[in-house]
Amino acid sequence: MNKKLAAALSGGAVLVLVLSGCSDDEGDKVNDWAKTFCDQAQPQIQKRANANQLIISTAADSKPETIKAADSKAFQDIADADRALAKAVESAGAPPVDNGQKIQQDAVKELNATAVAYDGLKKQVDALDTSNQQKFADGLKVVSDNLAKIQNMDQDAVAKLQAGELGQAMAKQPGCQTPKASVPPSASPKAGAPDAGATTPAGKTPAAKPSASAKTE
Protein backbone atom coordinates (compact mmCIF):
# COMPACT_ATOMS: atom_id res chain seq x y z
CA MET A 1 0.00 0.00 0.00
CA ASN A 2 1.38 3.42 -0.84
CA LYS A 3 1.90 4.98 2.58
CA LYS A 4 2.84 8.46 1.41
CA LEU A 5 -0.16 8.74 -0.87
CA ALA A 6 -2.44 7.58 1.90
CA ALA A 7 -0.78 10.06 4.26
CA ALA A 8 -1.57 12.88 1.87
CA LEU A 9 -5.25 12.29 2.50
CA SER A 10 -4.73 13.20 6.15
CA GLY A 11 -4.32 16.83 5.12
CA GLY A 12 -8.03 17.67 5.12
CA ALA A 13 -7.86 20.97 6.97
CA VAL A 14 -9.76 21.36 10.20
CA LEU A 15 -11.66 24.62 10.23
CA VAL A 16 -10.15 26.66 13.03
CA LEU A 17 -11.55 30.07 13.85
CA VAL A 18 -8.96 31.08 16.44
CA LEU A 19 -6.55 33.97 16.00
CA SER A 20 -3.26 34.37 17.81
CA GLY A 21 -4.26 37.62 19.48
CA CYS A 22 -7.36 39.36 20.73
CA SER A 23 -8.41 42.73 22.07
CA ASP A 24 -10.41 43.62 25.17
CA ASP A 25 -12.16 46.66 23.70
CA GLU A 26 -14.55 45.02 21.23
CA GLY A 27 -18.02 46.48 20.87
CA ASP A 28 -20.99 44.63 22.28
CA LYS A 29 -22.58 44.16 18.87
CA VAL A 30 -19.48 42.49 17.43
CA ASN A 31 -19.17 40.23 20.47
CA ASP A 32 -22.86 39.36 20.28
CA TRP A 33 -22.51 38.40 16.60
CA ALA A 34 -19.45 36.30 17.36
CA LYS A 35 -21.27 34.45 20.15
CA THR A 36 -24.30 33.82 17.96
CA PHE A 37 -22.17 32.37 15.17
CA CYS A 38 -19.70 30.42 17.32
CA ASP A 39 -22.45 28.77 19.39
CA GLN A 40 -23.93 27.40 16.16
CA ALA A 41 -20.56 26.62 14.61
CA GLN A 42 -19.10 24.62 17.49
CA PRO A 43 -20.72 21.24 16.64
CA GLN A 44 -19.61 21.60 13.02
CA ILE A 45 -16.05 22.55 13.90
CA GLN A 46 -16.00 19.49 16.17
CA LYS A 47 -17.40 17.32 13.39
CA ARG A 48 -14.60 18.43 11.06
CA ALA A 49 -11.98 17.73 13.72
CA ASN A 50 -13.38 14.22 14.19
CA ALA A 51 -13.38 13.62 10.43
CA ASN A 52 -9.75 14.67 10.17
CA GLN A 53 -8.84 12.40 13.07
CA LEU A 54 -10.64 9.50 11.42
CA ILE A 55 -8.37 9.80 8.39
CA ILE A 56 -5.23 10.29 10.48
CA SER A 57 -5.98 7.33 12.75
CA THR A 58 -6.54 4.92 9.86
CA ALA A 59 -3.17 3.27 9.37
CA ALA A 60 -1.57 3.89 5.98
CA ASP A 61 -0.91 0.18 5.59
CA SER A 62 -4.52 -0.78 6.29
CA LYS A 63 -6.48 -2.70 3.69
CA PRO A 64 -7.69 -0.57 0.76
CA GLU A 65 -11.29 -1.16 1.81
CA THR A 66 -10.57 0.26 5.26
CA ILE A 67 -8.85 3.37 3.92
CA LYS A 68 -11.59 3.87 1.35
CA ALA A 69 -14.36 3.65 3.95
CA ALA A 70 -12.61 6.01 6.37
CA ASP A 71 -11.82 8.64 3.75
CA SER A 72 -15.30 8.46 2.23
CA LYS A 73 -16.97 9.02 5.60
CA ALA A 74 -14.57 11.81 6.52
CA PHE A 75 -15.10 13.71 3.27
CA GLN A 76 -18.88 13.39 3.61
CA ASP A 77 -18.74 14.65 7.20
CA ILE A 78 -16.61 17.65 6.20
CA ALA A 79 -18.99 18.49 3.36
CA ASP A 80 -21.98 18.32 5.70
CA ALA A 81 -20.18 20.44 8.30
CA ASP A 82 -19.28 23.11 5.75
CA ARG A 83 -22.89 23.38 4.63
CA ALA A 84 -24.00 23.73 8.24
CA LEU A 85 -21.33 26.38 8.85
CA ALA A 86 -22.61 28.31 5.84
CA LYS A 87 -26.10 28.21 7.36
CA ALA A 88 -24.66 29.38 10.69
CA VAL A 89 -23.08 32.41 9.02
CA GLU A 90 -26.35 33.08 7.22
CA SER A 91 -28.39 32.72 10.39
CA ALA A 92 -26.12 35.03 12.38
CA GLY A 93 -26.79 37.81 9.88
CA ALA A 94 -24.37 40.34 8.48
CA PRO A 95 -21.61 41.01 11.04
CA PRO A 96 -21.65 44.57 12.43
CA VAL A 97 -18.36 45.61 10.82
CA ASP A 98 -17.35 47.46 7.67
CA ASN A 99 -18.54 45.55 4.57
CA GLY A 100 -20.32 43.11 6.89
CA GLN A 101 -22.90 42.04 4.33
CA LYS A 102 -20.26 41.25 1.71
CA ILE A 103 -18.16 39.38 4.27
CA GLN A 104 -21.19 37.29 5.16
CA GLN A 105 -22.13 36.60 1.54
CA ASP A 106 -18.58 35.65 0.58
CA ALA A 107 -18.21 33.29 3.54
CA VAL A 108 -21.52 31.55 2.78
CA LYS A 109 -20.67 31.21 -0.90
CA GLU A 110 -17.17 29.85 -0.27
CA LEU A 111 -18.25 27.41 2.45
CA ASN A 112 -20.95 25.99 0.17
CA ALA A 113 -18.45 25.71 -2.68
CA THR A 114 -16.03 23.85 -0.42
CA ALA A 115 -18.81 21.47 0.61
CA VAL A 116 -19.48 20.66 -3.05
CA ALA A 117 -15.76 20.06 -3.59
CA TYR A 118 -15.64 17.58 -0.70
CA ASP A 119 -18.70 15.84 -2.11
CA GLY A 120 -16.67 15.41 -5.27
CA LEU A 121 -13.77 13.92 -3.31
CA LYS A 122 -16.13 11.44 -1.67
CA LYS A 123 -17.39 10.31 -5.07
CA GLN A 124 -13.82 9.86 -6.28
CA VAL A 125 -12.94 7.77 -3.23
CA ASP A 126 -16.11 5.69 -3.55
CA ALA A 127 -15.15 4.89 -7.16
CA LEU A 128 -11.64 3.64 -6.29
CA ASP A 129 -10.85 0.04 -7.25
CA THR A 130 -9.83 -1.81 -4.08
CA SER A 131 -9.29 -5.13 -5.85
CA ASN A 132 -5.90 -4.06 -7.18
CA GLN A 133 -3.46 -2.30 -4.87
CA GLN A 134 -1.62 -0.54 -7.68
CA LYS A 135 -4.84 0.81 -9.19
CA PHE A 136 -5.99 1.84 -5.74
CA ALA A 137 -2.70 3.68 -5.08
CA ASP A 138 -2.91 5.43 -8.44
CA GLY A 139 -6.48 6.50 -7.74
CA LEU A 140 -5.54 7.65 -4.26
CA LYS A 141 -2.84 9.85 -5.77
CA VAL A 142 -5.45 11.62 -7.91
CA VAL A 143 -7.65 12.12 -4.86
CA SER A 144 -4.75 13.50 -2.84
CA ASP A 145 -3.85 15.94 -5.63
CA ASN A 146 -7.43 17.19 -5.71
CA LEU A 147 -7.47 17.43 -1.93
CA ALA A 148 -4.45 19.71 -2.02
CA LYS A 149 -6.39 22.11 -4.25
CA ILE A 150 -9.47 22.02 -2.05
CA GLN A 151 -7.41 22.77 1.03
CA ASN A 152 -6.65 26.22 -0.36
CA MET A 153 -10.38 26.83 -0.78
CA ASP A 154 -10.98 25.55 2.72
CA GLN A 155 -8.47 27.87 4.33
CA ASP A 156 -9.83 30.90 2.47
CA ALA A 157 -13.50 30.20 3.15
CA VAL A 158 -13.68 32.12 6.41
CA ALA A 159 -10.47 34.17 6.19
CA LYS A 160 -12.40 37.44 6.08
CA LEU A 161 -14.43 36.44 9.12
CA GLN A 162 -11.14 35.97 10.96
CA ALA A 163 -9.87 39.44 10.10
CA GLY A 164 -9.80 42.46 12.39
CA GLU A 165 -12.18 43.06 15.27
CA LEU A 166 -14.61 40.38 14.13
CA GLY A 167 -11.93 37.70 14.23
CA GLN A 168 -10.72 38.93 17.60
CA ALA A 169 -14.23 38.69 19.00
CA MET A 170 -14.61 35.16 17.61
CA ALA A 171 -11.29 34.16 19.16
CA LYS A 172 -12.77 34.81 22.60
CA GLN A 173 -15.73 32.48 22.05
CA PRO A 174 -15.46 28.88 23.34
CA GLY A 175 -17.43 27.66 20.34
CA CYS A 176 -14.75 28.87 17.95
CA GLN A 177 -11.80 27.47 19.88
CA THR A 178 -9.61 24.70 18.50
CA PRO A 179 -11.46 21.45 19.25
CA LYS A 180 -9.92 18.19 20.37
CA ALA A 181 -11.01 15.34 18.14
CA SER A 182 -13.21 12.86 20.00
CA VAL A 183 -12.57 9.96 17.62
CA PRO A 184 -10.10 7.65 19.37
CA PRO A 185 -7.17 6.57 17.16
CA SER A 186 -7.78 3.03 15.90
CA ALA A 187 -4.21 2.60 14.72
CA SER A 188 -0.95 4.45 14.45
CA PRO A 189 -1.23 7.81 12.65
CA LYS A 190 -0.20 7.91 9.03
CA ALA A 191 3.36 8.95 8.38
CA GLY A 192 3.63 12.70 8.03
CA ALA A 193 0.07 13.33 9.14
CA PRO A 194 -0.58 16.50 11.14
CA ASP A 195 -2.12 16.42 14.59
CA ALA A 196 -5.85 17.05 14.18
CA GLY A 197 -5.68 19.93 16.62
CA ALA A 198 -2.36 21.37 15.56
CA THR A 199 -2.31 24.85 14.14
CA THR A 200 0.24 27.26 12.82
CA PRO A 201 0.76 30.62 14.57
CA ALA A 202 -1.84 32.07 12.19
CA GLY A 203 -4.39 29.62 13.54
CA LYS A 204 -4.60 27.36 10.51
CA THR A 205 -3.95 23.65 10.25
CA PRO A 206 -0.95 22.89 8.02
CA ALA A 207 -1.73 20.84 4.94
CA ALA A 208 0.08 17.60 4.23
CA LYS A 209 1.77 17.74 0.86
CA PRO A 210 1.25 14.91 -1.63
CA SER A 211 4.33 13.09 -2.81
CA ALA A 212 4.55 11.89 -6.38
CA SER A 213 7.72 9.93 -5.67
CA ALA A 214 6.23 7.52 -3.14
CA LYS A 215 6.58 3.82 -3.85
CA THR A 216 4.04 1.13 -3.24
CA GLU A 217 4.85 -1.80 -1.08
Side-chain angles (χ1 to χ4, degrees), residues 132-152:
N132 182 293
Q133 286 197 347
Q134 184 58 57
K135 287 184 178 180
F136 182 72
D138 291 343
L140 204 60
K141 173 61 167 62
V142 174
V143 173
S144 68
D145 287 345
N146 290 334
L147 174 61
K149 298 174 184 177
I150 294 173
Q151 285 167 354
N152 292 328

Side-chain angles (χ1 to χ4, degrees), residues 2-165:
N2 191 319
K3 293 184 179 180
K4 290 187 178 180
L5 292 182
L9 283 172
S10 69
V14 175
L15 187 63
V16 178
L17 300 175
V18 180
L19 299 185
S20 56
C22 59
S23 171
D24 293 329
D25 58 358
E26 301 299 331
D28 289 341
K29 289 184 179 180
V30 175
N31 286 322
D32 288 346
W33 188 96
K35 185 178 189 309
T36 298
F37 169 73
C38 292
D39 286 351
Q40 295 181 65
Q42 195 280 330
Q44 309 310 324
I45 296 173
Q46 183 67 60
K47 188 172 186 176
R48 288 179 55 98
N50 294 347
N52 196 51
Q53 183 60 45
L54 175 61
I55 298 174
I56 292 173
S57 63
T58 303
D61 54 357
S62 297
K63 293 180 179 179
E65 293 85 354
T66 301
I67 294 174
K68 177 177 177 177
D71 292 342
S72 178
K73 181 182 185 323
F75 291 149
Q76 182 64 67
D77 286 349
I78 294 172
D80 291 345
D82 276 356
R83 286 193 183 88
L85 284 167
K87 289 182 180 179
V89 174
E90 216 166 24
S91 175
V97 295
D98 291 342
N99 298 317
Q101 186 172 6
K102 187 176 188 307
I103 290 173
Q104 178 197 30
Q105 291 172 346
D106 288 349
V108 170
K109 179 180 178 180
E110 290 168 8
L111 282 165
N112 281 325
T114 304
V116 171
Y118 275 104
D119 281 338
L121 276 186
K122 180 186 184 300
K123 290 179 181 179
Q124 290 176 17
V125 169
D126 289 344
L128 292 179
D129 182 1
T130 58
S131 65
N132 182 293
Q133 286 197 347
Q134 184 58 57
K135 287 184 178 180
F136 182 72
D138 291 343
L140 204 60
K141 173 61 167 62
V142 174
V143 173
S144 68
D145 287 345
N146 290 334
L147 174 61
K149 298 174 184 177
I150 294 173
Q151 285 167 354
N152 292 328
M153 294 172 56
D154 218 8
Q155 298 287 11
D156 292 341
V158 291
K160 291 180 181 177
L161 286 179
Q162 295 179 338
E165 61 178 343

